[in-house]
Every structure is written in structure tokens, then in C-alpha cells.
Amino acid sequence: MNPNPLSRHRDGAMAAVKGRSLWDDARRRLMRNRAAVTSMVVLIVLVAAAIVGPYLTPFRYDVINKNDVWMAPMTGGHLLGTDSLGRDLLARLLIGLRVSLAIGVVATSVSLVVGVVWGATAGYIGGATDEVMMRIVDVLYSLPFIFFVILLMVTFGSNIVLIFVAIGAVEWLTMSRIVRGQTLSLKQKEFIEAARANGLDRGAIVRRHIVPNLLGPVVVYVTLTIPAIILAESFLSFLGLGVQPPMASLGTLIANGAQDMELAPWLLIFPSVTMVATLMCFNFIGDGLRDAIDPKDR
Amino acid sequence: MFRFLLRRLMVAIPTLFVVITVAFFMMRAAPGNPFDLDRKLPPEIEANVKKKFHMDEPLVQQYGRYLAGVAHGDFGPSLKYRDKSVLDVLKENYRVSLTLGLISITLASLVGVSLGILAALRQNGALDYSVMAIAILGVCISTFVTAPLLQLVFGSKLGWLPIAGWDNGALKNLVLPVIVLSLPQIAIISRLTRAGMIEVLHSNYVRTARAKGLPEHRIVSRHALRAALLPLVSYLGPACAGLLTGSLVVEKIFGLPGLGKFFVLSALQRDYTVVMGMVIIYAALILALNLAADLLYAALDPRVRVS
């Protein structure tokens, strides 16, 4: 929900006393990265538009107006034109952006929570538990993603909550692998040993020491997961399995625009540009964060 | 080497078994069955049809029967396409996906690796920045944006290429789908290659090679490339599986009769056996390609040689 990833950093600096200067360093490096900073500004604007925009447009996204179909942009008060049912594209674009961003954030949160808990537990406990938990991940990896989703959609009918769950349920796999790898190396560190010597129980060690120290790689992966999920949702919507009309997402808008592209190219172009811009922002921020937190990769 | 292979197979077979089990019961848990979708059958006929396909038995018994069949290489009859086995149905559909997938992955590897090497050799130069810009764009502009745009420009505006259709794999029908499928792969592959190459070019043994006075092209081709391609090897395995089993979106947009499109259709129609067949093929492909990637990895990098 938080559009500004920097606030995360400050939390991290509070939690890890020793790492404070490291996070300050990272922030300075991030702020020097022009692509990342520009992306953050653009993304804040996009998020703000998605949150408040739908209340400000003169037209509603779902009102059909048979007299105003195929209006070109900048005509009849429709800034971005209208679609085949006379609905205002700007209003639909804003609501679509809201839906896509919401799905991205919620599904990422699902994958974040499940992936971190799963990976940290497997990595910390180790041994047979680790083996079993990671085999489960391997098995889920070899199931075709679209198979899961189609089954879920046909079983429960397609609704937005289900899309969140379905996509999140697939995306946590990579997260859990990353977290497990990090946990394995953290486990060897002296401060964990000290915590154990102090008599802290396993759960508390994982919660208080392992998870906060995983923050760096996890934050980077989160900023790269959100665009991946927005893309996945768009694929589903494009295939008619995602968001159902009159609700819109960037995927459904592009799918509809593609059908009418000869007659009304603006219906394809504006949603496409919005989606590409959104995804690029997340990718630049993710890359910037990675360079900032782990500069040796540059 | 042989022991490594054997151990990996020992893991792969139970994995495949679990995949089959999960998929089987998930599929059956979904409401509806293959015979109630179009028009309602009279109850006696439906009972007969179900009996014919052993669907009147308890689920666990059906599952046992199915497993036994698969173990003997028999994937059963299709429930929707009368008098055809699952293998017949798949055979009819795999050609499109296989052709497109092979051409795309080959093209993407060639172009992606070349671009990645060039970018790494000119790190922070103009060429590097343009390649990286293309790479970021390629990841962000998804296939369902590029495909309609290319159709619009080359299909209807310029009229150079057909907008859609397969036409028995005619070259001009292949061009647009292959480009659309390759672009995101080129983006990812060039990024991976560039990152790997830059790291390797800073390593000690490359410095040694330089100190020996080897010409740059030899350093790149003989010393650096091998190690730089390692990350790519582990990426290509799953990517191949995805491309070979068909890309839903591209097949749908270009109206191609491939596996991806067929898979969705079969799932919606509850053609249980066909869907199961495709799930098994996909899972087996992923396992096999991952294994191949690991073997290749070991062949390229003596340090990880089969521990």
C-alpha cells in the first residue's frame, strides 16, 4: 500500500541497529540513481491518480451511453475518447489502473507473507523439515500455473479475491527459495548463536532476528514481483479469466482495445502506455534498490 | 556422472507422481463434468457414458486405474473427442507449438547472447545503454501489447504479412508470432548474458589471459563466454518448457491451433484425460529440461562438477 519504499528503509534502520549506516548508504546510492528517482515520482503520481482519480472524472467508468460511442480523444468532453459502448476511457483507465495496482499489491503481500514464513522456517529448522518443505515447492513449480488458475476460476467462478489468491499462491514459490537461501547463511552468524545462547526459543529467533535481516533481498524482490503480478493478472484478464466487466483492469482494457484497434486505436494505445509506464517504474525502482543495497552487482 | 543422473531421476519420479495426484484431484474437485456442458443428456445415457469411461466408480479407484494406465504409457481416451486417444489429440496439436517454440528460443538465444556480449564489452557506453533500454522495454511491453500493435502496423496498415492464421506453417505466417514470442526472451537473455559477462570480465583468470597478451576476441570466446553463460543455462530450462508447450496469448491473438489454446479449452470443457495428459507432459518437460540444464551446468563449470 505504501507507494514510497523508502519508509521501509527507515523501519529497517530502526530494527537493525548495527546496519544503520548501511541503510543510509543504500538510500544515498538510491537517490543518486536518476532512473529510480524519476520512477518513484511517476509511480507516486500514478498511484495517486488511481486512488483519487475515479472520484474526479466527470464520467463514470460503467455508464453506457449509446449516443457517444467511438468518440475520438479530446471530443465531447472525453479527454481520452470513448469505447464501443460510449464509456469514458479516462474513467475506465483510472479504475483499471486502480484494480491492477491493487491486485499487484495484495497478491504480492500474500506471496510475501507465505514465502517469507515458509522459506525462513525451512531454512532455519533445516534437516528433514527443510527437505520436505522445499520438495513441496519443487512440485508446485512443475505444475503449470495456468492450470491452477483455470481450475480455481471454473471451480469458484472468477472474482477478484480469487485472482489475488491464485496469483499470490504461485508467486510465493520464488520468494520462499530466496528467503531460505538467505536464512541458511544467516543461521551461521554469531548473533544468532548469541540469541540461542541467551535461551531465546526458535520462533522468537526467526521472528526477531532472521526475518528483519532478510529485509534487503526481500524488498528488492517485492518491487520486482508487483509488476510480474500485474502482468499475470493482465494475461488472465486478456484470456477472459480475470476481472469481469463492467469492472476493468489494464489487461481487459488492452484486450478490448486490441479488438477495436483499427477503428479506435486510442483504446489500445492509452491503456498500453499506462501499463508499460507502470511496469517500467517498478522495474527501475527494483533495479535501483538492488544496486543500492548490493552494490557489488553493478 | 551416472550416479548423479540416477539420484536426480529418483527425485524426479516421485515429483511427477505428486504432480499427477494433485492435478487429478484438483481437476475432479471442480464442479461440472465433461458430459453436462453443452446439452443435457438423458440420465440413462449419461449413466451409460459415465460407465463406459469408468466414471461411475469411486474416485480413488478411478485414480488407481489412471495411474496404472499412465505407468504403461496409456493416457486414456479423450472424453470430448469421440474415438480419439489423448495421445492422438496431443499429436494433432503439438506441431504448431513446437515449431514456434523452437524457432523463437533459438532466435532469442542468438540475438540475446550477442546483444548481451556487445553491451558488456562496451559497459556504460551508448550501445550498452541502448541494449539495456531494449531489455527493460522488452520485459515491460508484454506480448499482448506487442502482438496487436505489430498486427496493426505490418498486417493491416502495410499489408506485408498476414494478420493471423497458421496456413500449414507458411513462413510469412510465422514471422509475427516468432517476433512477439522472442522479444521478451531476448530482453531477459541479453540482461543475463550482460550481467554474467561483466562479472567474468573482472575475474582474475581473465586478467591473466589479458596479461598473457591474448587478443580480446579470444579472451571473450575462449575464456569468458563459457562462465558468463552459466546463469543463462539455468534460466533456459524452464523458459524452454514454457515456450514449447505453447504461449496462450500468442496462439489466441494470432489464431494458431497450438497446445496452449487447446489446454484452456480442454480445461473449460472438463476433458479430464486430455488436461491430465498435458499437465504430465508439461511437468515432465520441466523436470527433464531442469535436469539437462544441471548437466550442462556441470559440463561448463568444472567447479560444480557433480558433488
Side-chain angles (χ1 to χ4, degrees):
Chain A
M1 279 301 165
N2 194 334
N4 181 0
L6 285 180
S7 59
R8 273 237 158 88
H9 282 200
R10 286 190 206 106
D11 295 345
M14 293 304 158
V17 176
K18 192 178 149 223
R20 185 185 300 241
S21 66
L22 208 102
W23 287 106
D24 281 346
D25 265 4
R27 183 159 58 228
R28 212 165 329 114
R29 271 195 295 266
L30 185 65
M31 282 315 191
R32 273 210 306 269
N33 186 331
R34 246 176 299 160
V37 173
T38 314
S39 298
M40 278 188 246
V41 174
V42 174
L43 193 61
I44 289 169
V45 172
L46 284 172
V47 170
I51 294 172
V52 297
Y55 302 117
L56 303 179
T57 50
F59 303 95
R60 279 183 52 82
Y61 72 91
D62 56 353
V63 171
I64 294 172
N65 185 348
K66 290 282 182 206
N67 298 323
D68 289 344
V69 298
W70 307 122
M71 299 268 278
M74 310 296 279
T75 55
H78 297 281
L79 207 55
L80 300 182
T82 61
D83 67 4
S84 60
L85 298 172
R87 293 175 296 193
D88 182 58
L89 181 61
L90 178 62
R92 290 188 65 70
L93 191 58
L94 288 170
I95 207 85
L97 183 62
R98 181 194 273 182
V99 169
S100 284
L101 284 173
I103 290 179
V105 170
V106 175
T108 302
S109 312
V110 173
S111 77
L112 176 73
V113 172
V114 180
V116 168
V117 170
W118 193 272
T121 311
Y124 188 73
I125 296 178
T129 318
D130 179 34
E131 189 69 19
V132 171
M133 289 175 89
M134 283 299 123
R135 278 296 89 75
I136 293 175
V137 170
D138 288 348
V139 170
L140 291 180
Y141 250 119
S142 12
L143 274 172
F145 161 65
I146 198 74
F147 171 78
F148 263 126
V149 178
I150 289 172
L151 277 188
L152 278 170
M153 296 298 154
V154 293
T155 311
F156 302 101
S158 54
N159 66 54
I160 291 190
V161 179
L162 202 62
I163 302 172
F164 292 149
V165 176
I167 299 177
V170 177
E171 290 288 335
W172 69 270
L173 299 171
T174 312
M175 181 68 88
S176 74
R177 281 189 174 171
I178 294 174
V179 168
R180 172 180 170 270
Q182 291 289 319
T183 309
L184 281 180
S185 71
L186 276 176
K187 204 164 77 170
Q188 314 294 333
K189 297 275 161 65
E190 286 84 357
F191 70 93
I192 301 289
E193 210 173 311
R196 210 178 302 134
N198 279 334
L200 213 58
D201 67 81
R202 276 178 170 186
I205 292 180
V206 169
R207 266 198 318 278
R208 258 183 256 162
H209 294 287
I210 302 275
V211 171
N213 278 293
L214 293 169
L215 214 59
V218 168
V219 166
V220 171
Y221 189 67
V222 162
T223 50
L224 297 174
T225 305
I226 295 177
I229 286 176
I230 292 179
L231 212 53
E233 184 280 323
S234 306
F235 274 111
L236 289 179
S237 291
F238 189 87
L239 296 169
L241 295 166
V243 175
Q244 299 298 313
M247 200 27 101
S249 76
L250 293 177
T252 57
L253 290 173
I254 292 173
N256 295 338
Q259 282 164 11
D260 302 328
M261 63 186 176
E262 307 225 13
L263 209 58
W266 61 89
L267 290 179
L268 175 61
I269 290 165
F270 290 121
S272 304
V273 169
T274 310
M275 176 147 114
V276 172
T278 312
L279 297 184
M280 281 182 86
C281 286
F282 278 113
N283 275 302
F284 277 126
I285 295 173
D287 283 358
L289 275 174
R290 180 166 44 204
D291 290 346
I293 292 173
D294 188 6
K296 77 173 190 299
D297 273 358
R298 270 211 284 209
Chain B
M1 198 60 147
F2 181 70
R3 273 185 51 202
F4 170 73
L5 204 67
L6 202 68
R7 214 179 54 215
R8 287 295 302 263
L9 281 177
M10 297 290 276
V11 178
I13 290 167
T15 307
L16 201 56
F17 170 75
V18 177
V19 167
I20 295 174
T21 310
V22 172
F24 185 90
F25 288 103
M26 257 181 91
M27 188 84 212
R28 293 305 177 91
N33 73 58
F35 312 113
D36 70 3
L37 285 178
D38 15 321
R39 62 199 158 81
K40 195 83 192 122
L41 290 171
E44 310 84 55
I45 299 182
E46 191 176 332
N48 261 338
V49 176
K50 280 192 169 168
K51 197 173 166 68
K52 183 185 165 206
F53 292 113
H54 303 288
M55 281 177 57
D56 51 343
E57 295 170 0
L59 199 55
V60 178
Q61 200 177 333
Q62 293 183 45
Y63 168 69
R65 184 187 296 278
Y66 184 74
L67 270 189
V70 170
H72 291 95
D74 174 16
F75 291 84
S78 163
L79 304 179
K80 275 282 165 188
Y81 300 84
R82 300 289 131 105
D83 303 324
K84 280 189 181 171
S85 77
V86 170
L87 288 178
D88 293 335
V89 175
L90 291 183
K91 255 181 226 157
E92 286 164 19
N93 288 279
Y94 84 96
R95 259 197 48 217
V96 174
S97 298
L98 193 67
T99 314
L100 276 182
L102 279 180
I103 299 178
S104 305
I105 202 78
T106 314
L107 182 76
S109 307
L110 289 177
V111 177
V113 169
S114 318
L115 283 180
I117 294 174
L118 286 177
L121 291 177
R122 304 267 177 281
Q123 196 188 351
N124 297 329
L127 186 74
D128 184 23
Y129 284 123
S130 2
V131 170
M132 282 306 101
I134 294 172
I136 287 242
L137 265 178
V139 176
C140 295
I141 304 187
S142 57
T143 48
F144 55 89
V145 175
T146 45
L149 284 178
L150 288 177
Q151 279 179 324
L152 186 65
V153 175
F154 293 100
S156 52
K157 289 273 178 323
L158 295 172
W160 291 353
L161 296 161
I163 292 181
W166 178 240
D167 197 17
N168 280 319
L171 193 61
K172 60 184 196 315
N173 289 61
L174 285 176
V175 176
L176 288 183
V178 164
I179 292 177
V180 170
L181 274 176
S182 313
L183 276 180
Q185 302 299 331
I186 291 176
I188 297 172
I189 292 174
S190 62
R191 262 178 94 140
L192 282 173
T193 310
R194 174 183 177 271
M197 202 69 189
I198 286 176
E199 198 184 320
V200 172
L201 285 177
H202 288 133
S203 66
N204 291 333
Y205 70 89
V206 167
R207 195 194 304 143
T208 309
R210 286 221 172 89
K212 283 196 302 187
L214 285 185
E216 191 70 20
H217 68 89
R218 256 184 98 79
I219 296 177
V220 171
S221 62
R222 296 293 295 263
H223 294 257
L225 193 58
R226 207 164 132 153
L229 290 185
L230 285 177
L232 189 62
V233 168
S234 30
Y235 168 76
L236 274 182
C240 273
L243 278 179
L244 290 180
T245 44
S247 160
L248 284 167
V249 171
V250 170
E251 284 169 15
K252 190 177 151 115
I253 295 179
F254 289 103
L256 305 172
L259 284 179
K261 201 173 140 192
F262 191 67
F263 177 72
V264 177
L265 193 68
S266 301
L268 288 174
Q269 294 182 334
R270 306 288 192 287
D271 196 339
Y272 296 142
T273 45
V274 170
V275 172
M276 287 298 298
M278 291 197 55
V279 170
I280 294 173
I281 288 179
Y282 182 85
L285 251 178
I286 287 207
L287 291 170
L289 286 168
N290 273 334
L291 181 58
D294 283 354
L295 289 177
L296 197 59
Y297 208 106
L300 284 172
D301 186 354
R303 283 169 305 181
V304 294
R305 198 151 285 166
V306 192
S307 49

